[in-house]
């Protein structure tokens, strides 16, 4: 029977409506606002190209083992002059390989999309020519230790060696290959017989016109790639911005679009987010899935994300308004964890792991440290304990500031107070403007300054708020904490107590104890009070006069601690703070091993808090994949520490609610890293230098004389006069830790 065209049209409309209703029903019951209602797809660009050279076998293998099930491997397809298809991130081999070392005289110039371009092009080399060419990193901030280890691979070789669940093949320059008598369409059809191709993308319209209908009903999904809006699409001579305004046209040859992040969440000229566009909703209405490119943990992201890549991913998949359908990432482990572990979790969700999130000068990664704004954000972000590093003004007022030197924490150098700079060798080898040189009223008039610990790497924190907030007295800090229902306690840090007593006539211990009592923090208070110091004499004094918890901070990096050293610490401290490098030592950016310091301290029932956790990837070992959450996971789940001291409390607090930790089997992307694991992949000639002989604590290193009595400050004395000698004041012993373990113990640690 022959159906009339009107009947066919009727059935087509009915089928489309039925399909649409099924999709709507699925989406209404799914937490995801993707077109299909499924979780967003994770696409590993060149494999795990954030760590290993792009498109290397190691990058693909690592991506497969650390990503969610169903993740696809992105391959930028290039054709050699003999028609072989290789995975390589660029048409120009000089951009990510050592080809110029092997063939220095074979550089050529071609017009690529009308632009004269010099380089070593795949069309000039056979597959055999490339057999000795090795891949190198494409971004200089990434480790060079894996350069030159992995050869260029064909798609078939990647498939055979790594067995991915499916490929996303990207064809960037089909028109260029056609000009040089190489047929990309025929190659893709041929390779599809042996390799599972799930997606094919290209920024060229004519490419899709050539391959439409050639793969059959069960062929790959076609995705049109958008480049910068002002760029011209080479086969239609329209700008990509113009094509974007006609999504119904794109739908005639593609099922999805791939766009840069800025198409959806644009930035202003200061790198802050602007309101999101309607692109995702518009594309979904047109029946197009939306995939987003440009995700990498180690490149600049909007200041709104506080250098946290998980926050960025979540803004695209879990913002309440829309969800993109896929994420193209150099770090698929972070994309996987964001989608599977942290999406659709409220701030009141059940904690899957418990540890103390202790702030460092409040949320000092987002606001100037020790200001009202920094503390308020730390509380809002989920800190359990907020901290105050107590300093003393010349008139005896205790207040919160990260440093005794006002020059590093305020804009005092731009005020008339700059002439109060003085030299105090007991505190610093360079001059400073110290808190005890100004009254509290004068200090209150100062403008705070945000900390920028990585400015040498051109990382600057939240410039819009770099001078926001006001400094707080200890009394104001304690009242702020007391009024918070979410905080479990406060940590008060006391340093330079001996100098202040002997040289300035200031009793910081008494000032802290008096303020605690005045603000209602008696020994029976419901808020925990922790007193921290690097000096045991200070903690002994607090222990004599109160029942507050005392925390001993080990300033130096240590590799071990003797049992009798631990027993001595337990006489004056109830917990210990150590540095990150005392848990996972590192050399040349790589974790070398895990010490037993945490294990020894916890075995003696001393909780261990570790500092300093920061979101900026330059603060982290390569082993943590430029992801602060991976680092936290390795210290909490891997090393078993009891708390993190962090400038970004939100990142650590969010980790507690991570749903992946509540499962019977923890997925690989939420497993702690293996200390020293990456080093096994580094060739011997590229191994980092041996570790420095880190220190070992004994009992002699923690025993100090009692605090000296208060010495009244002479009316004419000036801090740091030439008579001040560069030696530790009486009662304060500088740690001189043992450098060597006994031979037998040293051998065990090798």
């Amino acid at each position: 029977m022959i159906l009339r065209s009107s009947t066919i049209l009727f059935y087509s409309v009915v089928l489309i409506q039925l399909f649409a209703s099924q999709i709507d029903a699925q989406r209404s019951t799914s937490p995801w606002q993707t077109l299909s209602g499924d979780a967003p797809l994770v696409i590993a660009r060149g494999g795990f190209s954030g760590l290993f050279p792009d498109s290397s076998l190691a990058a693909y293998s690592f991506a497969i083992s650390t990503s969610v099930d169903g993740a696809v491997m992105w391959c930028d397809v290039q054709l050699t002059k003999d028609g072989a298809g290789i995975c390589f991130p660029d048409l120009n081999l000089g951009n990510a390989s050592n080809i110029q070392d092997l063939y220095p005289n074979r550089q050529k110039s071609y017009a690529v999309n009308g632009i004269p371009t010099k380089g070593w092009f795949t069309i000039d080399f056979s597959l055999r020519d490339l057999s000795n060419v090795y891949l190198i990193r494409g971004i200089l901030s990434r480790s060079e230790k894996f350069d030159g280890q992995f050869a260029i691979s064909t798609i078939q070789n990647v498939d055979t060696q790594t067995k991915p669940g499916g490929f996303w093949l990207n064809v960037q320059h089909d028109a260029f290959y056609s000009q040089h008598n190489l047929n990309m369409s025929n190659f893709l059809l041929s390779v599809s017989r042996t390799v599972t191709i799930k997606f094919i993308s290209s920024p060229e319209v004519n490419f899709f016109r050539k391959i439409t209908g050639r793969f059959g009903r069960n062929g790959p999904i076609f995705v049109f790639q958008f480049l910068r809006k002002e760029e011209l699409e080479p086969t239609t001579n329209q700008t990509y911005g113009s094509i974007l305004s006609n999504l119904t046209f794109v739908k005639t040859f593609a099922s999805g679009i791939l766009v840069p992040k800025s198409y959806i969440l644009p930035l202003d000229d200061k790198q802050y987010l602007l309101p999101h566009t309607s692109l995702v909703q518009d594309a979904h209405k047109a029946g197009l899935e939306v995939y987003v490119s440009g995700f990498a943990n180690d490149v600049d992201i909007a200041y709104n994300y506080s250098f946290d890549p998980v926050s960025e991913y979540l803004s695209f998949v879990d913002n309440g308004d829309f969800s993109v359908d896929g994420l193209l990432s150099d770090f698929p482990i972070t994309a996987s964890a964001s989608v599977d572990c942290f999406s659709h979790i409220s701030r009141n969700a059940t904690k899957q792991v418990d540890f103390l999130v202790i702030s460092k000068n409040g949320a000092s990664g987002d606001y100037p440290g020790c200001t009202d704004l920094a503390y308020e954000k730390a509380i809002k972000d989920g800190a359990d304990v907020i901290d105050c590093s107590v300093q003393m003004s010349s008139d005896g007022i205790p207040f919160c500031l990260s440093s005794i030197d006002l020059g590093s924490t305020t804009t005092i150098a731009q005020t008339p107070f700059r002439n109060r700079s003085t030299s105090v060798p007991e505190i610093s080898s360079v001059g400073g403007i110290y808190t005890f040189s100004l009254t509290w009223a004068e200090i209150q008039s100062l403008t705070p300054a945000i900390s920028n610990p990585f400015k040498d790497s051109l990382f600057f924190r939240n410039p819009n708020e770099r001078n926001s907030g006001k400094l707080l007295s200890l009394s104001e800090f304690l009242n702020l904490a007391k009024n918070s229902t979410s905080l479990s306690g406060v940590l008060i840090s006391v340093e330079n107590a001996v100098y202040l007593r002997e040289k300035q006539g200031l009793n910081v211990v008494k000032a802290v104890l008096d303020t605690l009592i005045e603000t209602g923090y008696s020994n029976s208070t419901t808020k925990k009070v922790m007193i921290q110091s690097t000096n045991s004499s200070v903690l002994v004094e607090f222990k004599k006069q109160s029942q507050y918890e005392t925390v001993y901070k080990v300033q130096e990096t240590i590799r071990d601690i003797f049992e009798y050293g631990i027993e001595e610490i337990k006489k004056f401290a109830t917990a210990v703070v150590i540095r990150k490098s005392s848990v996972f030592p590192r050399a040349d950016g790589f974790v070398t091993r895990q010490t037993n310091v945490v294990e020894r301290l916890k075995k003696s029932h001393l909780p261990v808090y570790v500092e300093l956790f920061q979101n900026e990837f330059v603060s982290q070992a390569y082993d943590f994949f430029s992801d602060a959450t991976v680092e936290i996971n390795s210290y909490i789940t891997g090393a078993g520490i009891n708390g993190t001291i962090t400038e970004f409390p939100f990142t650590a607090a969010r980790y507690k609610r991570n749903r992946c930790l509540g499962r019977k089997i923890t997925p690989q992307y939420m497993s702690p890293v293996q200390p020293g694991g990456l080093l096994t992949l580094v060739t011997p000639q590229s191994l980092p230098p041996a570790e420095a002989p880190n220190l070992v604590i004994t009992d002699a290193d923690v025993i100090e004389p009692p605090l000296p009595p208060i010495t009244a400050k002479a009316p004419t004395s000036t801090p740091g006069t030439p008579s001040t000698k560069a030696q530790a004041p009486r009662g304060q012993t500088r740690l001189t830790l043992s450098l060597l373990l006994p031979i037998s113990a040293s051998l065990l640690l090798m």
Side-chain angles (χ1 to χ4, degrees):
M1 182 176 65
I2 300 176
L3 295 176
R4 293 191 310 184
S5 59
S6 59
T7 307
I8 294 174
L9 178 61
F10 171 76
Y11 280 123
S12 299
V13 171
V14 171
L15 287 172
I16 291 171
Q17 290 176 340
L18 286 173
F19 178 73
S21 64
Q22 289 172 351
I23 291 293
D24 288 341
Q26 182 181 356
R27 291 177 63 183
S28 66
T29 59
S30 167
W32 297 106
Q33 293 176 284
T34 55
L35 183 62
S36 66
D38 296 330
L41 180 70
V42 172
I43 311 150
R45 195 187 71 83
F48 205 123
S49 55
L51 178 64
F52 298 103
D54 192 312
S55 306
S56 63
L57 290 177
Y60 285 119
S61 296
F62 203 66
I64 292 166
S65 66
T66 57
S67 299
V68 289
D69 291 340
V72 296
M73 300 298 112
W74 171 283
C75 165
D76 286 294
V77 184
Q78 314 296 342
L79 296 180
T80 63
K81 73 177 182 180
D82 49 348
I86 61 172
C87 292
F88 193 83
D90 200 282
L91 186 68
N92 183 355
L93 292 163
N95 289 337
S97 79
N98 67 345
I99 195 165
Q100 54 190 321
D101 298 330
L102 276 73
Y103 302 107
N105 300 320
R106 292 181 64 176
Q107 186 181 30
K108 288 190 177 182
S109 180
Y110 289 104
V112 181
N113 292 341
I115 300 172
T117 308
K118 273 189 175 183
W120 288 260
F121 292 86
T122 60
I123 61 172
D124 295 320
F125 297 88
S126 67
L127 188 59
R128 184 174 181 178
D129 292 336
L130 299 179
S131 60
N132 293 321
V133 176
Y134 287 85
L135 300 164
I136 62 174
R137 60 184 170 156
I139 296 177
L140 294 180
S141 62
R142 295 172 180 174
S143 175
E144 79 285 0
K145 297 300 181 183
F146 304 109
D147 286 359
Q149 291 195 42
F150 309 105
I152 293 173
S153 295
T154 64
I155 297 171
Q156 294 92 330
N157 189 39
V158 173
D159 185 62
T160 301
Q161 296 294 321
T162 66
K163 295 179 171 54
F167 277 105
W168 181 310
L169 301 185
N170 184 54
V171 179
Q172 200 75 13
H173 297 288
D174 175 65
F176 177 84
Y177 286 115
S178 295
Q179 291 166 11
H180 296 277
N181 301 314
L182 290 168
N183 194 314
M184 182 66 76
S185 303
N186 286 345
F187 168 77
L188 294 176
L189 284 167
S190 174
V191 79
S192 68
R193 299 187 184 102
T194 57
V195 172
T196 302
I197 305 174
K198 292 192 173 181
F199 295 84
I200 294 177
S201 61
S202 176
E204 298 180 5
V205 173
N206 278 358
F207 168 74
F208 291 104
R209 289 172 174 163
K210 288 192 292 185
I211 65 171
T212 297
R214 300 188 66 183
F215 282 90
R217 182 176 298 176
N218 297 319
I221 295 170
F222 295 159
V223 179
F224 181 64
Q225 181 184 12
F226 282 84
L227 305 182
R228 292 192 303 270
K229 291 182 180 180
E230 65 275 12
E231 280 193 56
L232 285 175
E233 192 281 319
T235 61
T236 64
N237 214 30
Q238 296 184 63
T239 64
Y240 286 100
S242 175
I243 296 173
L244 186 69
S245 64
N246 192 359
L247 291 176
T248 54
F249 165 68
V250 177
K251 179 62 178 172
T252 63
F253 58 85
S255 299
I257 58 174
L258 174 66
V259 298
K261 293 184 297 185
S262 60
Y263 272 49
I264 298 170
L265 286 172
L267 303 179
D268 65 16
D269 56 1
K270 294 183 179 180
Q271 290 295 104
Y272 286 89
L273 289 173
L274 295 170
H276 69 75
T277 68
S278 62
L279 174 60
V280 178
Q281 294 96 326
D282 294 342
H284 283 174
K285 286 178 183 177
L288 290 165
E289 293 187 313
V290 181
Y291 303 94
V292 188
S293 64
F295 290 100
N297 297 0
D298 56 355
V299 297
D300 289 340
I301 60 176
Y303 287 115
N304 309 67
Y305 302 128
S306 302
F307 304 102
D308 171 37
V310 174
S311 290
E312 182 181 35
Y313 285 109
L314 293 178
S315 71
F316 283 85
V317 301
D318 183 22
N319 58 41
D321 292 327
F322 61 84
S323 173
V324 301
D325 301 277
L327 306 158
L328 177 59
S329 175
D330 291 14
F331 294 83
I333 189 172
T334 305
S336 296
S338 300
V339 170
D340 192 36
C341 304
F342 294 106
S343 295
H344 307 121
I345 295 178
S346 71
R347 294 199 176 194
N348 298 321
T350 303
K351 294 177 184 177
Q352 303 297 335
V353 62
D354 199 21
F355 61 93
L356 279 185
V357 176
I358 305 170
S359 75
K360 182 69 171 181
N361 308 314
S364 54
D366 294 297
Y367 291 98
C370 298
T371 61
D372 55 340
L373 295 180
Y375 289 127
E376 288 166 5
K377 189 169 194 306
I379 295 170
K380 179 183 176 183
D381 285 350
D384 300 303
V385 174
I386 57 173
D387 70 307
C388 171
S389 296
V390 174
Q391 312 298 340
M392 296 291 288
S393 64
S394 63
D395 51 347
I397 304 298
F399 66 98
C400 303
L401 198 65
S402 62
S403 172
I404 196 170
D405 182 1
L406 291 162
S408 62
T409 52
T410 70
T411 60
I412 194 170
Q414 302 167 25
T415 72
F417 297 126
R418 63 181 176 273
N419 60 9
R420 299 197 194 181
S421 177
T422 188
S423 175
V424 182
E426 298 95 328
I427 296 175
S428 174
S429 59
V430 296
I433 308 173
Y434 295 102
T435 61
F436 47 77
S437 299
L438 279 75
T439 66
W440 174 233
E442 290 172 328
I443 291 169
Q444 284 181 295
S445 70
L446 299 175
T447 300
I450 201 167
S451 169
N452 285 303
F454 305 108
K455 61 184 179 182
D456 290 343
S457 300
L458 301 180
F459 279 86
F460 296 92
R461 292 174 170 175
N462 201 6
N464 278 1
E465 305 290 348
R466 63 182 179 272
N467 298 122
S468 298
K470 67 171 187 175
L471 299 177
L472 299 181
S473 67
L474 177 59
S475 176
E476 291 172 319
F477 165 82
L478 291 171
N479 282 324
L480 173 67
K482 186 170 65 175
N483 293 330
S484 168
T485 58
S486 62
L487 289 176
S488 62
V490 295
L491 183 145
I492 299 172
S493 179
V494 177
E495 300 295 339
N496 303 302
V498 173
Y499 173 83
L500 292 172
R501 290 168 80 103
E502 287 194 329
K503 303 296 184 181
Q504 299 300 322
L506 296 169
N507 190 339
V508 63
V509 172
K510 184 177 186 302
V512 169
L513 289 171
D514 288 349
T515 307
L516 282 165
I517 293 172
E518 290 167 6
T519 52
Y521 285 79
S522 65
N523 289 333
S524 60
T525 181
T526 55
K527 284 274 193 299
K528 182 191 327 190
V529 176
M530 306 160 72
I531 307 294
Q532 174 186 290
S533 182
T534 58
N535 299 118
S536 61
S537 55
V538 170
L539 300 180
V540 168
E541 190 72 16
F542 274 100
K543 203 169 181 65
K544 284 180 182 177
Q545 301 188 49
S546 71
Q547 296 181 19
Y548 302 127
E549 294 185 24
T550 47
V551 181
Y552 183 54
K553 179 178 176 179
V554 181
Q555 190 81 2
E556 291 86 353
T557 295
I558 60 174
R559 76 168 190 269
D560 203 355
I561 182 167
F562 287 148
E563 293 297 333
Y564 40 88
I566 294 175
E567 290 306 310
E568 197 61 43
I569 290 173
K570 290 176 70 175
K571 293 178 181 178
F572 58 82
T574 55
V576 177
V577 170
I578 60 176
R579 299 176 66 176
K580 289 192 303 185
S581 53
S582 295
V583 182
F584 294 126
R586 71 185 198 182
D588 210 14
F590 289 89
V591 170
T592 57
R593 60 188 179 88
Q594 180 177 338
T595 71
N596 61 1
V597 173
V598 174
E599 180 184 358
R600 286 181 184 269
L601 289 169
K602 290 183 67 176
K603 187 177 179 180
S604 297
H605 307 290
L606 280 172
V608 182
Y609 310 128
V610 174
E611 73 170 25
L612 179 64
F613 288 87
Q614 298 158 308
N615 281 0
E616 291 97 339
F617 76 88
V618 291
S619 72
Q620 301 147 14
Y622 289 118
D623 305 66
F624 303 128
F625 315 129
S626 303
D627 184 342
T629 299
V630 173
E631 181 180 48
I632 291 168
N633 185 46
S634 297
Y635 278 87
I636 296 297
T637 305
I641 69 172
N642 301 98
T644 58
I645 299 175
T646 173
E647 294 177 327
F648 297 88
F650 177 79
T651 308
R654 181 188 59 207
Y655 169 80
K656 289 185 176 185
R657 305 186 301 274
N658 166 5
R659 72 161 67 89
C660 290
L661 295 179
R663 297 174 183 168
K664 290 182 180 179
I665 299 177
T666 303
Q668 188 63 35
Y669 41 86
M670 197 43 64
S671 297
V673 303
Q674 289 296 115
L678 278 185
L679 282 181
T680 63
L681 303 177
V682 176
T683 56
Q685 61 268 28
S686 298
L687 285 172
E691 293 176 54
N694 292 329
L695 308 174
V696 180
I697 287 185
T698 70
D699 55 344
D701 301 317
V702 298
I703 299 173
E704 298 176 2
L707 289 176
I710 302 294
T711 301
K713 183 179 177 182
T716 57
S717 67
T718 303
T721 59
S723 61
T724 303
K725 296 183 179 180
Q727 61 185 25
R730 185 164 46 86
Q732 180 175 334
T733 305
R734 180 177 175 82
L735 290 183
T736 308
L737 304 182
S738 306
L739 287 173
L740 297 175
L741 277 167
I743 293 176
S744 59
S746 297
L747 290 174
L748 289 173
L749 289 172
M750 291 179 65

